[in-house]
Amino acid sequence: MIESNVSDVNDSRAPTKDRILDAAEALFSERGFEATSLRTITAAAEVNLAAVNYHFHSKDDLIRAVFARRIGPLNQKRLESLKACLDAAGDGPVALENVIRAFVEPVLLLRRDPQGAAVGRLFGRTYADPSGAARRTFFDLMKEVGRPFTEAFRRALPGLNQVDLLWKMHFSIGVMAHTLAGAEHLTVISGGLCDLADVEGTLDRIVAYIAAGMRATPAKLNRS
Amino acid sequence: MIESNVSDVNDSRAPTKDRILDAAEALFSERGFEATSLRTITAAAEVNLAAVNYHFHSKDDLIRAVFARRIGPLNQKRLESLKACLDAAGDGPVALENVIRAFVEPVLLLRRDPQGAAVGRLFGRTYADPSGAARRTFFDLMKEVGRPFTEAFRRALPGLNQVDLLWKMHFSIGVMAHTLAGAEHLTVISGGLCDLADVEGTLDRIVAYIAAGMRATPAKLNRS
DNA sequence: GTCTATAGGGGGATAGAC
DNA sequence: GTCTATCCCCCTATAGAC
């Protein structure tokens, strides 16, 4: 009630830096990196244009910062869940579904709030986005989860060779990325019957689909 | 004798219009729509800048033309293959793997030549791309295959309800799109062990993965 | 730290000669 | 149909006042 500022709107203003990150995140996820100008970002954040060059050096560095802020905590959750399911397995077999869930659940849970949904879309889109800065940053930050999860999948699918495993992980990442990036499209097509806001239901569906795919055996791998 | 830095559009004198389409296709697939300027395209095509505005009205119309040229023939092949496998089934059950193959094979076969690979990447990327012109054109042109394939899947998976089917088709499109758009990434990660140039092998793998996923039953009870 | 103002470069699109 | 030349817009980044 003390706040009586000059101009309009909701002024218990977060730090400028965070306002820029929030706006950039939302706009990048909606329009892509190239199509989003710094002017649009600073207008949405209601900060000055020059602020983005003061707090971040350049647009590329802003893109990097947007990813860095989110991926760290996300991957920490994934690794914690993975550790939990490996501990539960002990020396016995690792449950495939649990490994998949450990990887998918944290990023799908983002969908619970609108800002998180933007993050999800952004990640999903980045897998297919050619933008240099985004791609490099994203994959650099994803390396830390790549190795332990590959190892966990190997334990959950004993007897599967390396090449088969990599292909299946690739397919599985596609399922996740496309679900994150293009889910509103599905909502429209289905006339609202398929709703990504139902996180638990979506999670059950996606885990079941991926698990079955990873267990599948290609029928005829050597054709004439 | 100016060397283009992207792909040689070296048909010694193909029509200007086609040279522009070829160059645009390759560049869009590598860098995205927003990041590719008309100047870059006309330089690669070794034609004049103004030619693109003469043959196509605008950049958006050029994007639409790039898609229109490829999607028509592609969908025709898909529908022919689908008809063949429905005819083979007669009144009996439809083989799920054949329906999947009818949809995936034509687009995967594009990978056999470099220009086709660009088309594949372009399609894969478009599923996640926010660009307005590309997205609308692409989905408009895909509508003609959407209905018959949905119907075929319903026949191949009797007893599956509409919502489950739509989710599974959504996941499956993700597998295909990601394979098309991000396969060279897999090639790098695997140290060349996974090679998308092996079209037949990739096709067997992807069909097996998707078929298993579509047959999967979500186990909604095992959440902790 | 935050603003105004502007530099400096590309971008899409068009006019008009040939 | 194809070229040159150009208009006018929007972009990123920076300089310098407050």
Side-chain angles (χ1 to χ4, degrees):
Chain A
M1 32 189 115
I2 310 164
E3 294 274 330
S4 176
N5 217 334
V6 201
S7 56
D8 45 275
V9 284
N10 46 358
D11 293 25
S12 50
R13 293 176 67 94
T16 298
K17 199 169 173 177
D18 292 330
R19 295 176 65 86
I20 293 172
L21 285 172
D22 288 344
E25 189 170 80
L27 286 163
F28 285 153
S29 86
E30 278 180 21
R31 313 182 187 181
F33 301 103
E34 309 279 352
T36 305
S37 71
L38 296 183
R39 281 175 167 77
T40 310
I41 292 169
T42 53
E46 294 174 36
V47 301
N48 189 270
L49 172 61
V52 71
N53 288 96
Y54 174 78
H55 288 285
F56 315 89
H57 290 170
S58 63
K59 185 177 180 178
D60 271 8
D61 282 350
L62 171 61
I63 292 174
R64 273 184 275 273
V66 166
F67 279 101
R69 179 173 69 149
R70 300 295 186 189
I71 293 186
L74 199 68
N75 281 351
Q76 194 178 346
K77 279 189 195 171
R78 291 205 252 229
L79 292 174
E80 282 168 9
S81 296
L82 181 64
K83 184 173 188 305
C85 94
L86 290 181
D87 287 349
D91 288 341
V94 175
L96 176 61
E97 274 80 359
N98 290 349
V99 178
I100 297 169
R101 190 174 289 264
F103 191 82
V104 175
E105 187 168 34
V107 73
L108 218 60
L109 283 179
L110 288 173
R111 287 260 163 191
R112 280 183 174 157
D113 68 284
Q115 186 76 23
V119 179
R121 277 199 307 276
L122 189 63
F123 287 174
R125 192 161 278 164
T126 301
Y127 281 103
D129 196 300
S131 168
R135 204 178 176 84
R136 252 178 293 117
T137 305
F138 186 69
F139 286 116
D140 278 354
L141 290 167
M142 287 302 282
K143 274 178 187 164
E144 61 175 292
V145 295
R147 197 187 46 76
F149 270 93
T150 305
E151 199 52 45
F153 278 123
R154 216 193 309 272
R155 278 190 60 189
L157 292 164
L160 193 65
N161 70 55
Q162 176 80 345
V163 173
D164 288 339
L165 178 60
L166 286 172
W167 271 110
K168 288 176 173 185
M169 286 181 68
H170 189 244
F171 293 151
S172 303
I173 285 172
V175 175
M176 193 190 65
H178 191 241
T179 301
L180 290 172
E184 25 277 312
H185 188 242
L186 176 62
T187 305
V188 173
I189 281 183
S190 69
L193 291 176
C194 301
D195 183 14
L196 196 78
D198 172 18
V199 175
E200 307 298 342
T202 302
L203 195 54
D204 286 334
R205 290 177 193 282
I206 202 172
V207 169
Y209 184 97
I210 290 178
M214 294 200 82
R215 290 198 180 98
T217 308
K220 26 177 181 174
L221 256 181
N222 41 5
R223 190 179 309 141
S224 60
Chain B
M1 303 312 157
I2 298 168
E3 288 272 302
S4 159
N5 53 345
V6 173
S7 74
D8 43 345
V9 187
N10 54 3
D11 314 16
S12 43
R13 227 343 93 167
T16 299
K17 200 169 174 178
D18 292 329
R19 295 175 65 85
I20 293 171
L21 285 173
D22 288 344
E25 190 171 78
L27 286 162
F28 286 153
S29 87
E30 278 183 21
R31 314 183 187 181
F33 301 103
E34 308 280 352
T36 305
S37 70
L38 295 184
R39 282 171 168 81
T40 309
I41 292 169
T42 54
E46 295 173 36
V47 301
N48 189 270
L49 172 60
V52 71
N53 287 96
Y54 174 77
H55 289 285
F56 315 88
H57 291 171
S58 63
K59 185 177 180 179
D60 271 8
D61 282 350
L62 171 60
I63 292 174
R64 273 184 275 272
V66 165
F67 279 101
R69 179 173 67 148
R70 301 293 186 189
I71 293 186
L74 199 68
N75 282 351
Q76 193 178 347
K77 280 190 196 171
R78 291 205 253 228
L79 292 174
E80 282 168 11
S81 295
L82 181 65
K83 186 175 187 304
C85 94
L86 290 181
D87 287 350
D91 289 342
V94 174
L96 176 60
E97 274 80 358
N98 290 349
V99 178
I100 297 169
R101 191 174 288 264
F103 191 82
V104 175
E105 187 169 32
V107 74
L108 219 60
L109 283 179
L110 288 173
R111 287 259 162 190
R112 280 183 174 157
D113 68 284
Q115 186 76 22
V119 179
R121 278 199 306 277
L122 190 62
F123 288 173
R125 191 161 278 163
T126 301
Y127 282 102
D129 196 300
S131 168
R135 204 179 176 83
R136 252 177 294 116
T137 305
F138 186 70
F139 286 117
D140 279 354
L141 290 167
M142 287 301 282
K143 273 178 187 164
E144 62 175 291
V145 295
R147 198 187 45 76
F149 270 94
T150 305
E151 200 52 45
F153 279 123
R154 217 193 309 272
R155 279 190 60 190
L157 292 164
L160 193 65
N161 70 54
Q162 176 80 345
V163 173
D164 288 339
L165 178 60
L166 286 172
W167 271 110
K168 287 175 175 185
M169 287 181 68
H170 189 245
F171 293 151
S172 304
I173 286 172
V175 175
M176 194 190 64
H178 191 242
T179 301
L180 291 172
E184 25 276 313
H185 187 243
L186 176 62
T187 305
V188 173
I189 281 183
S190 69
L193 292 176
C194 301
D195 183 15
L196 197 77
D198 172 19
V199 175
E200 308 298 342
T202 303
L203 194 54
D204 287 335
R205 290 177 193 282
I206 201 171
V207 169
Y209 184 98
I210 291 177
M214 295 199 82
R215 290 198 179 98
T217 309
K220 304 198 175 190
L221 305 175
N222 66 346
R223 190 172 312 121
S224 53

